[in-house]
PDB file of all heavy atoms in Angstrom:
ATOM      1  N   ARG K1105       0.625 -13.466   6.514  1.00 93.00           N
ATOM      2  CA  ARG K1105       0.352 -13.482   5.066  1.00 93.00           C
ATOM      3  C   ARG K1105       1.401 -12.811   4.265  1.00 93.00           C
ATOM      4  O   ARG K1105       1.777 -13.376   3.241  1.00 93.00           O
ATOM      5  CB  ARG K1105      -1.009 -12.678   4.854  1.00 93.00           C
ATOM      6  CG  ARG K1105      -1.580 -12.685   3.500  1.00 93.00           C
ATOM      7  CD  ARG K1105      -2.456 -13.912   3.292  1.00 93.00           C
ATOM      8  NE  ARG K1105      -3.015 -13.939   1.911  1.00 93.00           N
ATOM      9  CZ  ARG K1105      -4.231 -14.429   1.585  1.00 93.00           C
ATOM     10  NH1 ARG K1105      -4.976 -14.840   2.543  1.00 93.00           N
ATOM     11  NH2 ARG K1105      -4.628 -14.413   0.344  1.00 93.00           N
ATOM     12  N   LEU K1106       1.941 -11.713   4.712  1.00 95.00           N
ATOM     13  CA  LEU K1106       2.991 -10.968   3.959  1.00 95.00           C
ATOM     14  C   LEU K1106       4.283 -11.794   3.925  1.00 95.00           C
ATOM     15  O   LEU K1106       4.928 -11.871   2.876  1.00 95.00           O
ATOM     16  CB  LEU K1106       3.283  -9.553   4.569  1.00 95.00           C
ATOM     17  CG  LEU K1106       4.357  -8.775   3.932  1.00 95.00           C
ATOM     18  CD1 LEU K1106       3.992  -8.461   2.503  1.00 95.00           C
ATOM     19  CD2 LEU K1106       4.641  -7.523   4.675  1.00 95.00           C
ATOM     20  N   SER K1107       4.664 -12.377   5.054  1.00 96.00           N
ATOM     21  CA  SER K1107       5.893 -13.246   5.061  1.00 96.00           C
ATOM     22  C   SER K1107       5.756 -14.441   4.092  1.00 96.00           C
ATOM     23  O   SER K1107       6.780 -14.726   3.398  1.00 96.00           O
ATOM     24  CB  SER K1107       6.245 -13.635   6.456  1.00 96.00           C
ATOM     25  OG  SER K1107       5.182 -14.479   6.995  1.00 96.00           O
ATOM     26  N   ARG K1108       4.602 -15.108   4.132  1.00 94.00           N
ATOM     27  CA  ARG K1108       4.437 -16.154   3.172  1.00 94.00           C
ATOM     28  C   ARG K1108       4.497 -15.703   1.753  1.00 94.00           C
ATOM     29  O   ARG K1108       4.977 -16.339   0.798  1.00 94.00           O
ATOM     30  CB  ARG K1108       3.075 -16.916   3.405  1.00 94.00           C
ATOM     31  CG  ARG K1108       3.058 -17.643   4.697  1.00 94.00           C
ATOM     32  CD  ARG K1108       1.950 -18.780   4.606  1.00 94.00           C
ATOM     33  NE  ARG K1108       0.616 -18.100   4.376  1.00 94.00           N
ATOM     34  CZ  ARG K1108      -0.270 -17.795   5.220  1.00 94.00           C
ATOM     35  NH1 ARG K1108       0.077 -17.968   6.550  1.00 94.00           N
ATOM     36  NH2 ARG K1108      -1.414 -17.254   4.871  1.00 94.00           N
ATOM     37  N   GLN K1109       3.908 -14.570   1.507  1.00 94.00           N
ATOM     38  CA  GLN K1109       3.816 -13.923   0.159  1.00 94.00           C
ATOM     39  C   GLN K1109       5.292 -13.648  -0.324  1.00 94.00           C
ATOM     40  O   GLN K1109       5.580 -13.917  -1.519  1.00 94.00           O
ATOM     41  CB  GLN K1109       2.969 -12.694   0.168  1.00 94.00           C
ATOM     42  CG  GLN K1109       2.951 -11.836  -1.048  1.00 94.00           C
ATOM     43  CD  GLN K1109       2.061 -10.631  -0.776  1.00 94.00           C
ATOM     44  OE1 GLN K1109       0.976 -10.655  -0.320  1.00 94.00           O
ATOM     45  NE2 GLN K1109       2.561  -9.419  -1.265  1.00 94.00           N
ATOM     46  N   LEU K1110       6.099 -13.052   0.555  1.00 94.00           N
ATOM     47  CA  LEU K1110       7.421 -12.724   0.208  1.00 94.00           C
ATOM     48  C   LEU K1110       8.303 -13.962  -0.089  1.00 94.00           C
ATOM     49  O   LEU K1110       9.093 -13.974  -0.961  1.00 94.00           O
ATOM     50  CB  LEU K1110       8.017 -11.810   1.264  1.00 94.00           C
ATOM     51  CG  LEU K1110       7.463 -10.390   1.423  1.00 94.00           C
ATOM     52  CD1 LEU K1110       7.959  -9.728   2.731  1.00 94.00           C
ATOM     53  CD2 LEU K1110       7.788  -9.621   0.180  1.00 94.00           C
ATOM     54  N   ALA K1111       8.083 -14.957   0.746  1.00 95.00           N
ATOM     55  CA  ALA K1111       8.826 -16.189   0.613  1.00 95.00           C
ATOM     56  C   ALA K1111       8.517 -16.858  -0.710  1.00 95.00           C
ATOM     57  O   ALA K1111       9.413 -17.383  -1.445  1.00 95.00           O
ATOM     58  CB  ALA K1111       8.550 -17.144   1.740  1.00 95.00           C
ATOM     59  N   ALA K1112       7.208 -16.839  -1.091  1.00 94.00           N
ATOM     60  CA  ALA K1112       6.774 -17.435  -2.336  1.00 94.00           C
ATOM     61  C   ALA K1112       7.363 -16.643  -3.642  1.00 94.00           C
ATOM     62  O   ALA K1112       7.601 -17.249  -4.623  1.00 94.00           O
ATOM     63  CB  ALA K1112       5.320 -17.472  -2.490  1.00 94.00           C
ATOM     64  N   SER K1113       7.597 -15.398  -3.381  1.00 92.00           N
ATOM     65  CA  SER K1113       8.217 -14.601  -4.495  1.00 92.00           C
ATOM     66  C   SER K1113       9.677 -14.567  -4.536  1.00 92.00           C
ATOM     67  O   SER K1113      10.324 -13.864  -5.438  1.00 92.00           O
ATOM     68  CB  SER K1113       7.569 -13.180  -4.427  1.00 92.00           C
ATOM     69  OG  SER K1113       8.157 -12.543  -3.269  1.00 92.00           O
ATOM     70  N   GLY K1114      10.302 -15.312  -3.597  1.00 94.00           N
ATOM     71  CA  GLY K1114      11.768 -15.340  -3.691  1.00 94.00           C
ATOM     72  C   GLY K1114      12.488 -14.159  -3.046  1.00 94.00           C
ATOM     73  O   GLY K1114      13.622 -13.839  -3.422  1.00 94.00           O
TER      74      GLY K1114
END
Side-chain angles (χ1 to χ4, degrees):
R1105 187 88 180 216
L1106 180 61
S1107 60
R1108 289 201 305 265
Q1109 175 181 314
L1110 291 171
S1113 65

